[in-house]
């Protein structure tokens, strides 16, 4: 369903190692969101967004522990980083890190990318910063459009595939869009996050596709990597 699941496809393997890495990323992101504001999702929009992002993939106790850690005044702090990379066979990647050691994060990311035939370089021109909402809806698409327009939401696109809906909005209107959709009874999302989407996709096959998937797997396993966005079409991979 939608571009979101193409982006995530390579990081959803149901192994203990993958789950552990996912829970760690969720914990760090939720902890930092809670620490930067009040540790209450009703008053902290960033925390609410972080919780919504991981609600479907992480147990409630992982989320609750991260919030309680921030409430307890824990002194741990993480540094955000962003690296752009040219991967194998025309693939482009944006790699976000959240780490307690930015030098280690840079070395880890650069090593992983270069070992798969890539290099760090400027690629942000091929990506758009957006708010993404994926959900199931049995009503009319016109009702969705009307609710969003009446709430002055900057809508980039609406993709309705037999009731599986993907709405793309300006990132600044992400929370406004959720409030608008709430008027239609939409509160349960398959995905709801601010993300980066590629403007153009490339299709890889054979050895090139294998190498790219290995690159994604290694980035997914890296303790410093928080999010990976790319321009490879994995819908049929």
């Amino acid at each position: 369903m939608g571009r979101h699941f193409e982006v995530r496809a390579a990081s959803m393997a149901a192994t203990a190692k993958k789950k552990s890495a996912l829970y760690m990323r969720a914990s760090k992101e939720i902890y930092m969101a809670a620490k930067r504001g009040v540790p209450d999702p009703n008053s902290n929009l960033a925390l609410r967004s972080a919780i919504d992002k991981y609600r479907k993939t992480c147990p409630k106790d992982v989320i609750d522990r991260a919030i309680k850690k921030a409430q307890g005044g824990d002194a741990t702090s993480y540094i955000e980083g962003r690296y752009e990379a040219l991967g194998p066979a025309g693939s482009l990647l944006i790699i976000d890190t959240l780490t307690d050691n930015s030098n280690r994060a840079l070395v880890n990311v650069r090593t992983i990318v270069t070992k798969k035939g890539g290099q760090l370089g400027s690629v942000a021109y091929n990506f758009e910063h957006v708010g993404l909402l994926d959900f199931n809806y049995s009503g009319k698409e016109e009702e969705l459009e009307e609710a969003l327009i009446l709430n002055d939401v900057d809508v980039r696109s609406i993709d309705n595939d037999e009731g599986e809906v993907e709405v793309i909005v300006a990132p600044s209107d992400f929370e406004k869009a959720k409030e608008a959709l709430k008027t239609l009874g939409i509160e349960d999302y398959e995905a709801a996050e601010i993300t980066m989407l590629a403007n153009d996709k490339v299709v890889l096959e054979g050895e090139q596709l294998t190498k790219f998937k290995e690159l994604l797997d290694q980035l997914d396993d890296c303790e410093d990597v928080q999010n990976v966005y790319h321009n490879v079409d994995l819908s049929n991979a």
Side-chain angles (χ1 to χ4, degrees):
M1 170 186 165
R3 286 168 287 185
H4 171 81
F5 293 94
E6 291 181 19
V7 172
R8 298 289 183 185
S11 62
M12 297 299 289
T15 65
K17 186 176 182 180
K18 295 292 185 186
K19 285 184 178 180
S20 177
L22 173 64
Y23 296 168
M24 177 58 70
R25 288 194 295 272
S27 180
K28 289 197 293 185
E29 193 166 333
I30 291 168
Y31 165 75
M32 287 301 293
K35 187 176 179 181
R36 286 170 177 161
V38 294
D40 179 0
N42 294 316
S43 305
N44 184 336
L45 293 181
L47 176 57
R48 188 191 310 171
S49 294
I51 292 172
D52 286 345
K53 177 178 176 179
Y54 292 104
R55 192 186 302 276
K56 289 283 185 178
T57 53
C58 288
K60 187 175 183 296
D61 65 298
V62 171
I63 295 171
D64 290 344
R65 281 200 303 270
I67 296 174
K68 288 179 180 178
K69 183 178 178 181
Q71 287 174 330
D74 188 278
T76 304
S77 184
Y78 298 106
I79 305 164
E80 294 177 338
R82 170 162 288 181
Y83 304 94
E84 302 172 39
L86 294 87
S91 59
L92 307 175
L93 305 97
I94 292 180
I95 303 159
D96 286 343
T97 57
L98 191 60
T99 178
D100 58 1
N101 187 324
S102 56
N103 290 330
R104 182 189 66 213
L106 170 59
V107 170
N108 284 343
V109 169
R110 184 168 55 198
T111 299
I112 292 170
V113 170
T114 55
K115 281 187 175 181
K116 291 302 175 182
Q119 62 183 11
L120 298 186
S122 179
V123 303
Y125 65 87
N126 194 57
F127 292 83
E128 183 180 8
H129 190 211
V130 300
L132 181 148
L133 302 114
D134 283 336
F135 53 91
N136 295 314
Y137 184 64
S138 59
K140 297 179 179 179
E141 186 173 322
E142 291 78 9
E143 295 173 341
L144 293 173
E145 294 176 350
E146 182 178 358
L148 293 165
I149 291 171
L150 288 177
N151 282 271
D152 197 29
V153 176
D154 181 359
V155 180
R156 305 289 172 81
S157 67
I158 298 177
D159 179 19
N160 188 348
D161 182 9
E162 297 181 352
E164 296 183 341
V165 180
E166 177 188 83
V167 174
I168 304 294
V169 302
S172 57
D173 286 354
F174 179 68
E175 290 297 332
K176 193 191 297 185
K178 288 169 66 178
E179 290 301 315
L181 294 173
K182 190 175 181 180
T183 65
L184 298 176
I186 301 168
E187 297 185 66
D188 186 32
Y189 294 93
E190 293 298 322
E193 62 180 299
I194 295 175
T195 186
M196 302 289 289
L197 293 179
N199 297 319
D200 299 297
K201 292 280 190 175
V202 297
V203 176
L204 304 183
E205 297 178 344
E207 185 179 344
Q208 293 177 342
L209 179 59
T210 298
K211 184 180 291 187
F212 182 75
K213 286 183 175 180
E214 290 173 351
L215 170 59
L216 290 185
D217 282 341
Q218 290 182 25
L219 288 171
D220 194 50
D221 290 340
C222 179
E223 63 178 312
D224 298 311
V225 172
Q226 191 67 16
N227 293 296
V228 178
Y229 313 104
H230 61 78
N231 71 330
V232 177
D233 185 349
L234 293 175
S235 56
N236 297 313

